[in-house]
Amino acid sequence: MKQVTKGQWGGYDTYILHSRDLEVTLLPRLGNSVISLWDCKENREILRRPDESDQAFFMQKPYHFGIPLLIPPGRIRKGQFQFDGVSYQFDQNTAGNNHIHGLHRTQAWCVSDIEEDEEGCAVTTEFRTIDDPNWMRQFPVSLKFEMTFRLQDAHLKQSLKVTHLDGPRIPFGIGYHTWFMIDGQPERWNLKLPVEGIYELNDELLPSGQLTDLGPLEALDGGMNLQGTDLDTALRGSVSQPSEALLLRDDGYGVRYSVDGNLFRHWVLYTKGPADQFLCVEPFTWLPDAPNVSDDSSFTGLLVLDPGQSLDLSTSLEIIYPAKL
């Protein structure tokens, strides 16, 4: 069962990683997202999976399904920012003539390696920005992305390596807009997430640069029930606790979502209206609009990539079964 097979979605090849517990479906040629995480034990979809009938919408807004990679994440005021005296203009693609969710959408990644062994299986994919004229028009920097998805039993690890091949020193940020299903039963699910404050947002959902008290969201520290929640909230991660979100059902089943807290300093929680079918748990390395919010990178999480430099960023998902608690 520890193998990689191929399938199809909307006329594009998929790669499916198998273990005894999970089936992970990748769509490399349309943005390299995990579009499905099927729990073989529970017979349930863990993520919001796009149907093939959703393909037109998926092509327009791929960040509404699965585990899409955002480069960079969140909004940028008017799509404009400056860094080291260089001005950048991203497309104004959301309300208020702002930019949202970066330049990575449905670009084609190439599968460069497949591994199958006694412990698990893995697929590695690659993408170079120089192959995308639309990317280079807005952010003319040559970057190479390498992503390895490794599945072992009930544990999926995503390892992203970013290499700056050519061009000026740049600001950099990524995030994952991860859609977890809660099956129309928010009252059965609790979310535990160690956070220290809420980033104040203006009426365009752009950060003001101020951090406010958690208020009712203090319940996240011990586990907050999702019934009655309506979230589109940017949060500062705790520096004193492990950087992980724990989404648990009332029978002990759930998901542990772990990230490197030295790099992923922010979380966004999003329910798309009152919590019902899904909860987005989104780890970000930079605060939305980071280059415009503050010059203090310890606050914004803005990373700097020099020519020739590489950066490694890892996240992992582990499915928890009641017997493991």
Side-chain angles (χ1 to χ4, degrees):
M1 289 296 294
K2 299 168 185 175
Q3 61 177 339
V4 178
T5 62
K6 291 184 71 174
Q8 284 275 310
W9 184 90
Y12 292 85
D13 286 341
T14 59
Y15 290 76
I16 307 165
L17 288 74
H18 300 264
S19 75
R20 65 183 181 186
D21 301 314
L22 302 175
E23 291 181 357
V24 181
T25 302
L26 314 178
L27 190 57
R29 303 296 288 181
L30 280 181
N32 203 44
S33 286
V34 176
I35 60 167
S36 172
L37 185 58
W38 177 256
D39 189 326
C40 302
K41 288 185 174 181
E42 289 279 314
N43 290 315
R44 72 178 293 267
E45 183 59 65
I46 296 168
L47 302 175
R48 186 188 189 193
R49 178 190 177 116
D51 292 329
E52 291 192 62
S53 61
D54 296 321
Q55 187 168 356
F57 181 62
F58 180 90
M59 298 294 287
Q60 182 184 13
K61 293 186 175 182
Y63 48 82
H64 276 263
F65 302 94
I67 312 180
L69 172 63
L70 310 176
I71 312 172
R75 290 170 173 80
I76 296 175
R77 189 185 310 273
K78 307 305 179 187
Q80 300 171 352
F81 60 95
Q82 289 189 341
F83 186 78
D84 278 357
V86 180
S87 296
Y88 298 94
Q89 177 68 64
F90 288 5
D91 289 343
Q92 296 172 336
N93 59 3
T94 194
N97 292 322
N98 297 314
H99 174 85
I100 192 169
H101 288 336
L103 306 182
H104 182 252
R105 298 296 172 104
T106 56
Q107 290 93 336
W109 292 53
C110 297
V111 174
S112 59
D113 192 35
I114 296 175
E115 295 182 7
E116 299 170 335
D117 54 47
E118 294 182 358
E119 300 297 324
C121 55
V123 173
T124 298
T125 56
E126 297 182 2
F127 165 66
R128 294 174 183 253
T129 60
I130 199 170
D131 295 328
D132 180 7
N134 190 51
W135 183 300
M136 298 300 288
R137 173 178 60 83
Q138 300 172 78
F139 201 44
V141 181
S142 180
L143 304 175
K144 179 182 179 182
F145 295 94
E146 300 168 89
M147 179 80 84
T148 296
F149 304 87
R150 180 165 180 83
L151 178 63
Q152 185 171 336
D153 299 325
H155 185 270
L156 173 66
K157 182 177 182 180
Q158 289 186 240
S159 301
L160 177 65
K161 181 178 182 179
V162 185
T163 303
H164 187 331
L165 299 177
D166 186 46
R169 194 174 79 126
I170 58 166
F172 186 76
I174 74 157
Y176 293 97
H177 201 310
T178 307
W179 293 76
F180 291 116
M181 299 300 297
I182 55 173
D183 308 326
Q185 299 175 312
E187 72 281 357
R188 296 193 63 191
W189 294 87
N190 288 290
L191 177 67
K192 183 176 181 181
L193 180 66
V195 290
E196 297 181 342
I198 298 174
Y199 292 107
E200 182 183 70
L201 305 178
N202 65 19
D203 57 2
E204 293 184 294
L205 300 178
L206 290 160
S208 69
Q210 301 298 314
L211 198 63
T212 65
D213 292 338
L214 287 168
L217 294 187
E218 285 185 359
L220 286 167
D221 189 57
M224 183 182 74
N225 189 261
L226 296 180
Q227 178 69 29
T229 60
D230 186 349
L231 301 169
D232 190 356
T233 309
L235 299 151
R236 185 167 186 83
S238 172
V239 296
S240 60
Q241 300 183 61
S243 296
E244 63 178 34
L246 187 61
L247 182 61
L248 283 179
R249 201 168 60 192
D250 56 12
D251 60 356
Y253 172 83
V255 183
R256 178 179 286 110
Y257 194 12
S258 303
V259 302
D260 182 348
N262 293 319
L263 296 172
F264 291 91
R265 301 179 183 178
H266 321 282
W267 297 86
V268 173
L269 300 179
Y270 178 57
T271 53
K272 202 175 188 292
D276 182 33
Q277 292 296 326
F278 28 71
L279 168 70
C280 293
V281 182
E282 309 171 38
F284 288 7
T285 62
W286 86 1
L287 185 64
D289 202 31
N292 297 319
V293 170
S294 170
D295 293 331
D296 182 1
S297 62
S298 67
F299 181 79
T300 65
L302 185 147
L303 302 169
V304 176
L305 275 179
D306 292 307
Q309 181 182 355
S310 292
L311 181 65
D312 294 294
L313 307 106
S314 294
T315 62
S316 68
L317 287 173
E318 180 187 6
I319 310 307
I320 299 171
Y321 298 99
K324 293 187 177 182
L325 289 177

